[in-house]
Amino acid sequence: MEGKILWQQGNSQPDNLDNFAVIQQWWSSLANKQVMLAQRMISHGDVDQLDWEPQRFDEVFEIKNPEVRGITLYWQKPDSPQTRNTTPHQLILDPRLQQLYIFPQSQKQLVIRVALREVNYETIEVKNPYWLYRRVGENHILTLRDNHQQLEVKITLNPDSLSQLKEQLP
């Protein structure tokens, strides 16, 4: 669950409401974007263990009017005036992969995954930057500074990330 945002109906944890607000904002931001909607049956285990490779009934479409009313998620497909909806008992948002797992109240053995079809990363090009390296505890911090663009990028590497980087360097 690391890095994922969890909301559960009836959960009294202090961050449950804040997590729902983040998920609601993410859902609304999908308007007019290509998404892949997939449904899988859960027997046990984590949603990450399920086979999410494209299957016959998975749908790819430009989502219209994504909104949340109460705890119900609403949306439309572009070729249909019909509004679809589902009321979840649990939501898990993976902001890194831009995927939302919806666990419907009506079908406890089902999970619906709505994923952005394509995650676009912003690329920042820095040529010949001034750089600074320092160690803080077990982490290693690399700072890249481009005075011309007035841009500074700080990269924190834990020991695993650092060894992965070292493996890839010539």
Side-chain angles (χ1 to χ4, degrees):
M1 278 292 296
E2 188 176 322
K4 295 181 182 172
I5 298 168
L6 170 69
W7 172 84
Q8 292 177 311
Q9 185 179 21
N11 185 328
S12 61
Q13 293 293 323
D15 60 351
N16 200 47
L17 202 54
D18 292 339
N19 289 353
F20 188 77
V22 169
I23 292 168
Q24 181 178 13
Q25 184 176 14
W26 183 86
W27 182 254
S28 297
S29 77
L30 294 178
N32 304 315
K33 294 182 181 170
Q34 285 278 321
V35 297
M36 176 178 261
L37 187 143
Q39 300 183 41
R40 301 290 186 268
M41 299 303 291
I42 304 174
S43 54
H44 55 70
D46 189 12
V47 293
D48 293 330
Q49 305 303 315
L50 295 173
D51 178 8
W52 290 107
E53 287 299 311
Q55 295 181 10
R56 184 172 158 201
F57 295 106
D58 293 350
E59 302 175 81
V60 175
F61 58 93
E62 187 176 294
I63 194 167
K64 301 290 183 191
N65 304 318
E67 64 176 323
V68 178
R69 289 184 248 148
I71 62 168
T72 302
L73 284 75
Y74 293 87
W75 71 95
Q76 287 178 296
K77 293 168 74 175
D79 55 355
S80 172
Q82 179 185 359
T83 299
R84 298 171 68 180
N85 69 74
T86 188
T87 302
H89 69 88
Q90 178 174 290
L91 299 167
I92 300 173
L93 175 64
D94 186 334
R96 184 178 61 85
L97 297 176
Q98 295 292 294
Q99 301 176 139
L100 178 65
Y101 298 95
I102 304 166
F103 299 82
Q105 284 182 4
S106 60
Q107 295 172 287
K108 302 287 188 197
Q109 295 81 27
L110 183 72
V111 61
I112 302 166
R113 185 184 77 172
V114 177
L116 272 178
R117 185 79 168 123
E118 184 179 302
V119 178
N120 293 319
Y121 291 94
E122 180 181 354
T123 301
I124 300 170
E125 189 169 329
V126 179
K127 293 183 180 179
N128 301 316
Y130 164 79
W131 63 273
L132 174 68
Y133 169 83
R134 62 190 168 106
R135 187 171 179 169
V136 178
E138 66 174 13
N139 292 326
H140 304 264
I141 299 175
L142 177 62
T143 303
L144 305 174
R145 185 176 293 151
D146 182 329
N147 290 329
H148 178 70
Q149 296 182 65
Q150 294 186 320
L151 180 70
E152 183 174 274
V153 178
K154 285 190 179 187
I155 303 167
T156 302
L157 302 167
N158 64 25
D160 292 337
S161 296
L162 183 63
S163 65
Q164 186 180 20
L165 176 64
K166 286 179 178 178
E167 288 174 10
Q168 295 188 12
L169 291 175

